Amino acid sequence: GAGVSQSPRYKVAKRGQDVALRCDPISGHVSLFWYQQALGQGPEFLTYFQNEAQLDKSGLPSDRFFAERPEGSVSTLKIQRTQQEDSAVYLCASSPTDGGSYEQYFGPGTRLTVT
Amino acid sequence: GQQVMQIPQYQHVQEGEDFTTYCNSSTTLSNIQWYKQRPGGHPVFLIQLVKSGEVKKQKRLTFQFGEAKKNSSLHITATQTTDVGTYFCAGNGGAQKLVFGQGTRLTINP
């Protein structure tokens, strides 16, 4: 079966532009996570959905970051008024059960470059 | 908040040598996971440890979870070129999210 997919794979934005990053999790997976990975660092948690409910958004760095998963499947991470420090790889992961007690399946990521 | 530290940051070995990476959490964990990320790739799940003092083996890889459930290690015996990549531990403190260490990047001289 298909794994987690993300689009676009690469995005270049001018500072101040808004961007939207899409994640298609594995079908039927309850949990969906967004992470930000800076070069040479580990993934940093941004937010977590259980079905359509956003249960934890404590990792979102500012109110410019917004995530949604309206029907409990596809998710979108939106970044408004992008800044250079937003440049990173944004990883989406899904898991068949709730929470962090099961393996997570990662997508290939979206590499965002803000110029 | 919960922090997960991983050492060393880099390790270069000759093919056939052993490799170990260590992970320490600032808080007691309910479980710890290990992931491998190949250059240019995404993290891929290796294993999860749940019990205090647990040891699990996958072929040449040995994973340990400390008695206090605050530290863990990954040991690779007789490295091969296919082991190249960055190894991350990720701790679950009981909440929904994983906290990743900064990773150990393994390079191998064939």
Side-chain angles (χ1 to χ4, degrees), chain B residues 28-50:
Chain B
T28 302
L29 301 170
S30 49
N31 65 67
I32 193 160
Q33 299 179 10
W34 285 90
Y35 289 80
K36 177 182 178 181
Q37 186 171 24
R38 293 182 184 274
H42 57 273
V44 174
F45 176 84
L46 294 176
I47 209 159
Q48 175 171 275
L49 305 171
V50 179

Side-chain angles (χ1 to χ4, degrees), chain A residues 3-6 23-26 29-35 43 45 47-49 69 73 75 90-97 99 102-109, chain B residues 33 35 42-43 98 100:
Chain A
V4 178
S5 61
Q6 293 186 244
C23 172
D24 284 82
I26 294 172
H29 276 197
V30 168
S31 295
L32 186 146
F33 302 82
W34 282 99
Y35 294 89
F45 171 83
T47 187
Y48 160 66
F49 290 87
R69 193 187 185 196
S73 55
S75 178
Y90 290 85
L91 293 164
C92 174
S94 71
S95 175
T97 64
Y102 198 81
E103 69 177 279
Q104 296 184 15
Y105 298 80
F106 282 81
Chain B
Q33 299 179 10
Y35 289 80
H42 57 273
L98 291 177
F100 280 76

Side-chain angles (χ1 to χ4, degrees), chain B:
Chain B
Q2 180 189 351
Q3 292 185 335
V4 175
M5 303 299 293
Q6 204 172 338
I7 57 168
Q9 191 173 357
Y10 303 97
Q11 184 77 59
H12 180 76
V13 300
Q14 290 288 128
E15 187 175 14
E17 290 182 339
D18 293 356
F19 159 77
T20 305
T21 173
Y22 300 90
C23 183
N24 286 285
S25 169
S26 58
T27 59
T28 302
L29 301 170
S30 49
N31 65 67
I32 193 160
Q33 299 179 10
W34 285 90
Y35 289 80
K36 177 182 178 181
Q37 186 171 24
R38 293 182 184 274
H42 57 273
V44 174
F45 176 84
L46 294 176
I47 209 159
Q48 175 171 275
L49 305 171
V50 179
K51 298 177 184 175
S52 168
E54 189 170 15
V55 178
K56 285 189 176 180
K57 294 190 175 185
Q58 287 180 350
K59 297 183 181 177
R60 294 177 295 103
L61 278 61
T62 301
F63 304 84
Q64 292 189 319
F65 201 9
E67 294 290 339
K69 299 184 73 173
K70 294 181 72 174
N71 56 72
S72 182
S73 64
L74 158 59
H75 179 82
I76 303 178
T77 303
T79 54
Q80 300 174 359
T81 54
T82 52
D83 296 326
V84 164
T86 301
Y87 292 85
F88 293 100
C89 62
N92 180 350
Q96 309 291 358
K97 64 185 183 185
L98 291 177
V99 177
F100 280 76
Q102 64 266 51
T104 296
R105 183 179 169 191
L106 173 63
T107 54
I108 298 175
N109 208 21

Side-chain angles (χ1 to χ4, degrees), chain A residues 4-108:
Chain A
V4 178
S5 61
Q6 293 186 244
S7 60
R9 292 292 313 277
Y10 304 91
K11 177 69 179 177
V12 179
K14 290 189 191 300
R15 190 162 59 98
Q17 282 184 333
D18 297 349
V19 298
L21 312 180
R22 177 187 169 106
C23 172
D24 284 82
I26 294 172
S27 178
H29 276 197
V30 168
S31 295
L32 186 146
F33 302 82
W34 282 99
Y35 294 89
Q36 182 189 61
Q37 187 173 27
L39 192 63
Q41 300 296 315
E44 279 201 32
F45 171 83
L46 294 177
T47 187
Y48 160 66
F49 290 87
Q50 184 177 319
N51 296 307
E52 69 278 2
Q54 189 175 19
L55 298 187
D56 189 339
K57 53 181 181 179
S58 62
L60 296 176
S62 77
D63 58 8
R64 297 186 295 105
F65 286 71
F66 171 77
E68 59 183 5
R69 193 187 185 196
E71 297 178 359
S73 55
V74 170
S75 178
T76 304
L77 176 67
K78 298 179 180 177
I79 309 173
Q80 296 177 322
R81 305 181 303 281
T82 52
Q83 304 293 317
Q84 284 194 320
E85 62 262 27
D86 300 335
S87 295
V89 174
Y90 290 85
L91 293 164
C92 174
S94 71
S95 175
T97 64
D98 58 302
S101 58
Y102 198 81
E103 69 177 279
Q104 296 184 15
Y105 298 80
F106 282 81

